Amino acid sequence: MQSAAVATEPEQDNPLIEGLERLPVRPTALVIFGATGDLAHRKLLPALYNLAHEGSLPERFEMIGVARRGQEDEVFQDMARQSIDRFSRRRPDHRVLDGLLAEMRYVPGAFDDDVVYSELGRILREFDERAGQPLNRVFYLSTAPQFFPVIAGKLGAAGLSKCEKADTRIVIEKPFGYDLASARALNAEVLERFDESQVFRIDHYLGKETVQNLLALRFANALFEPVWNRNFIDYVQITAAEDIGIGGRAGYYEGAGALRDLVQNHMMQLLALLTMEPPTSFDANGVRDEKLKVLEAIVPPSPGDVPSMTVRAQYGPGVVGGTHVRGYLEEEGVDPHSRTETYAALRLHISNWRWAGVPFYLRTGKQLARKVTEIVVTLKPVPHLAFKSIGSVGVQPNQIILTVQPDEGVTVSLGAKIPGAQMRIRPVNMEFRYGTSFLSESPEAYERLILDAMRGDATLFTRGDEIVALWGIIDPILTAWHADTESPIPQYPAGSAGPPEADALLQVNARWRRL
């Protein structure tokens, strides 16, 4: 298939990681396992279209879908067209879309069936012969987690995990493991067939422009780095709040819970990027080495400390957006005696020179008052206030607020004088918003990450030792919660800010930012 990458807009370079944006994308064959699933339907196929629209795909790009549903190539192509029409962030240009889908192939069968991999190998060899050169191979595992080791093993057994004259990579979706033991086991199984340099463990949060902007904010501005330490920062709060319930995902959520679903991966990645030391270079290992150092410096709570450093809760009946909603225990498919948490909050500390003594508060939950993901860095209060006056709102500590979603941007709060004869002080905000500053729509996270996987740039992907370090922090909490079968699980009304028990985590002068 000749290039689907019909350039209708110039590709925008992201100056965050200078040089890496210009890495070439060699001719590539992308294989999506689970190609008829929801992730492929809503995210992967639309992302590929938008890359093609921007001329970012390589000159020769081929795609194969693999799934259990029996259907012909043409049926799969039509399904892909419908998905892109419905979920693409821009209205599809059918000239570009036709070029992308014209020779897209489909291989039906179970993921443990050797025939699937034999047929896959045949099609890949056909692509190589037609191109007159070996194509790079990217295997994207958009499947249930239990199939990750199965597919990796079958690819290796079929001789598809290595190619002498081209690169082979495997992209693995989250969750990568269920706990520390399973994460280590999965790492070992995947690395039996693939080298670590070939494995791209994807966390779509790291593909968000505002998450990458954490690095730009810290390391491209002399304004922030001098105060980015224990001498000036009082505490840090990271919130990932959702205003919806579990929907029809009871089967998944009952086995996961809020701690596994968001804290272990997305929120801990935000914490690592926020607190890492400046890397010597912005390449994959430079960035990930510094993230690993931070994660290894976080002391996991001991069993005795878990009750004082963590809170779990479930949403009960309440009102969200003017509509009465049922509680978690009344949701379809949920065990009425379930102890699965829909809200998790914890206090962590980083034992290193920069952050010693600074508490980090993380909270996430379903059916909260509003949907927001943000980081709030609260600086210490001024040591001496020379002026006081009746009518002042008061001198509040300065805050740096990084909003990841939905209104992406950065806010810095300052104390300023209220106009008038008296010295009265009130907080004011200096704001930067992506939408108004750049007057362009940010690309979807999967667009950046798929392109990076094809380039071989692993900067925004999680390394195996990072996975172990992340689970090493969360596993003791899960173990203690699982062992405690007697303590009641606090309830909070749907549409509220969460359980009042979370306030007990806060140290003196700290408070949760209002949802």
Side-chain angles (χ1 to χ4, degrees):
M1 165 179 161
Q2 290 300 320
S3 173
V6 179
T8 58
E9 296 178 0
E11 182 177 359
Q12 299 295 315
D13 282 346
N14 182 339
L16 173 59
I17 306 174
E18 185 176 351
L20 290 180
E21 288 295 325
R22 294 185 288 276
L23 284 174
V25 187
R26 291 192 67 251
T28 299
L30 173 67
V31 180
I32 299 180
F33 287 87
T36 60
D38 193 60
L39 178 63
H41 182 62
R42 292 174 175 270
K43 297 294 184 181
L44 304 185
L45 292 168
L48 287 167
Y49 166 77
N50 283 296
L51 290 172
H53 181 94
E54 293 169 359
S56 298
L57 292 179
E59 183 177 357
R60 185 169 288 275
F61 174 78
E62 310 285 0
M63 200 190 96
I64 307 170
V66 181
R68 288 173 289 183
R69 183 186 304 170
Q71 60 188 17
E72 300 298 325
D73 292 345
E74 294 77 9
V75 177
F76 177 59
Q77 292 166 13
D78 186 59
M79 184 227 43
R81 183 182 301 276
Q82 293 177 34
S83 298
I84 293 166
D85 278 336
R86 182 177 178 187
F87 294 110
S88 171
R89 63 183 173 90
R90 55 162 62 90
R91 181 180 295 277
D93 178 330
H94 288 284
R95 184 170 58 100
V96 180
L97 189 54
D98 290 344
L100 177 66
L101 302 181
E103 296 192 37
M104 190 178 286
R105 307 289 285 275
Y106 181 77
V107 177
F111 299 138
D112 60 353
D113 186 349
D114 291 337
V115 174
V116 168
Y117 301 88
S118 175
E119 178 65 7
L120 192 55
R122 185 191 67 78
I123 296 174
L124 289 170
R125 289 190 296 273
E126 177 186 317
F127 288 161
D128 291 348
E129 291 169 4
R130 193 161 61 188
Q133 62 176 316
L135 303 182
N136 281 359
R137 299 169 180 176
V138 177
F139 299 105
Y140 196 117
L141 275 53
S142 175
T143 69
Q146 63 263 32
F147 295 116
F148 296 165
V150 174
I151 296 170
K154 290 292 185 180
L155 288 170
L160 298 176
S161 61
K162 301 287 192 298
C163 184
E164 287 186 8
K165 297 182 179 180
D167 295 327
T168 301
R169 303 178 184 111
I170 184 169
V171 181
I172 302 178
E173 272 287 345
K174 80 171 189 78
F176 199 90
Y178 180 78
D179 53 19
L180 180 58
S182 63
R184 282 177 167 157
L186 180 54
N187 263 338
E189 290 173 304
V190 172
L191 295 177
E192 282 182 6
R193 299 297 188 175
F194 293 86
D195 298 331
E196 177 63 40
S197 62
Q198 296 177 277
V199 182
F200 287 65
R201 302 168 188 83
I202 191 169
D203 182 338
H204 75 273
Y205 255 50
L206 297 186
K208 291 180 178 291
E209 290 288 339
T210 42
V211 173
Q212 297 168 53
N213 196 51
L214 275 173
L215 299 181
L217 180 79
R218 288 193 55 196
F219 303 131
N221 296 286
L223 175 68
F224 295 111
E225 188 59 22
V227 302
W228 218 254
N229 56 63
R230 60 186 173 85
N231 295 320
F232 294 94
I233 292 178
D234 198 7
Y235 62 95
V236 176
Q237 183 182 141
I238 302 177
T239 297
E242 297 182 272
D243 58 0
I244 59 173
I246 61 167
R249 301 171 66 221
Y252 161 76
Y253 207 84
E254 273 286 83
L259 196 65
R260 286 188 178 96
D261 190 43
L262 275 175
V263 177
Q264 185 273 333
N265 37 71
H266 301 334
M267 299 184 72
M268 293 301 297
Q269 289 287 351
L270 293 178
L271 176 58
L273 289 171
L274 184 78
T275 59
M276 61 183 264
E277 294 297 322
T280 54
S281 63
F282 279 100
D283 60 15
N285 282 330
V287 172
R288 296 191 296 180
D289 285 347
E290 296 303 333
K291 285 167 57 186
L292 178 64
K293 290 176 186 177
V294 169
L295 295 173
E296 291 181 336
I298 297 175
V299 180
S302 67
D305 288 334
V306 167
S308 63
M309 294 179 66
T310 70
V311 168
R312 56 176 167 164
Q314 295 172 338
Y315 64 82
V319 178
V320 178
T323 302
H324 289 274
V325 298
R326 57 190 173 187
Y328 179 70
L329 297 180
E330 289 79 49
E331 296 279 17
E332 186 176 349
V334 172
D335 181 349
H337 303 290
S338 173
R339 296 180 65 81
T340 299
E341 78 284 356
T342 64
Y343 178 99
L346 52 155
R347 183 180 71 247
L348 297 175
H349 294 270
I350 300 175
S351 268
N352 63 17
W353 187 273
R354 182 185 290 263
W355 297 111
V358 177
F360 292 83
Y361 303 106
L362 283 67
R363 63 172 171 170
T364 184
K366 297 281 191 184
Q367 291 288 34
L368 294 175
R370 67 185 178 109
K371 176 182 177 65
V372 64
T373 300
E374 66 180 11
I375 301 168
V376 181
V377 179
T378 301
L379 276 65
K380 292 184 177 180
V382 293
H384 172 67
L385 188 59
F387 41 82
K388 295 181 180 179
S389 177
I390 297 174
S392 287
V393 177
V395 178
Q396 303 295 324
N398 301 121
Q399 290 185 322
I400 303 166
I401 303 161
L402 301 97
T403 306
V404 176
Q405 62 180 6
D407 189 15
E408 298 94 339
V410 180
T411 301
V412 179
S413 71
L414 306 171
K417 178 183 177 295
I418 301 172
Q422 295 180 305
M423 181 61 74
R424 297 180 300 161
I425 309 298
R426 57 160 286 187
V428 296
N429 291 333
M430 295 176 60
E431 293 189 333
F432 147 67
R433 289 287 175 260
Y434 262 92
T436 55
S437 295
F438 295 110
L439 301 178
S440 63
E441 185 181 14
S442 296
E444 288 283 339
Y446 280 100
E447 295 171 32
R448 170 64 188 264
L449 295 174
I450 290 173
L451 192 61
D452 279 357
M454 290 194 288
R455 280 190 172 116
D457 175 11
T459 305
L460 300 178
F461 294 82
T462 309
R463 205 167 57 191
D465 49 7
E466 282 185 76
I467 291 289
V468 172
L470 288 165
W471 277 117
I473 298 164
I474 299 301
D475 208 51
I477 301 172
L478 290 169
T479 300
W481 283 358
H482 182 72
D484 180 8
T485 59
E486 300 298 328
S487 301
I489 305 293
Q491 303 284 305
Y492 60 96
S496 70
E501 287 84 355
D503 294 342
L505 296 178
L506 302 175
Q507 296 179 347
V508 178
N509 297 327
R511 59 189 177 89
W512 293 114
R513 180 169 162 83
R514 184 177 178 181
L515 288 177

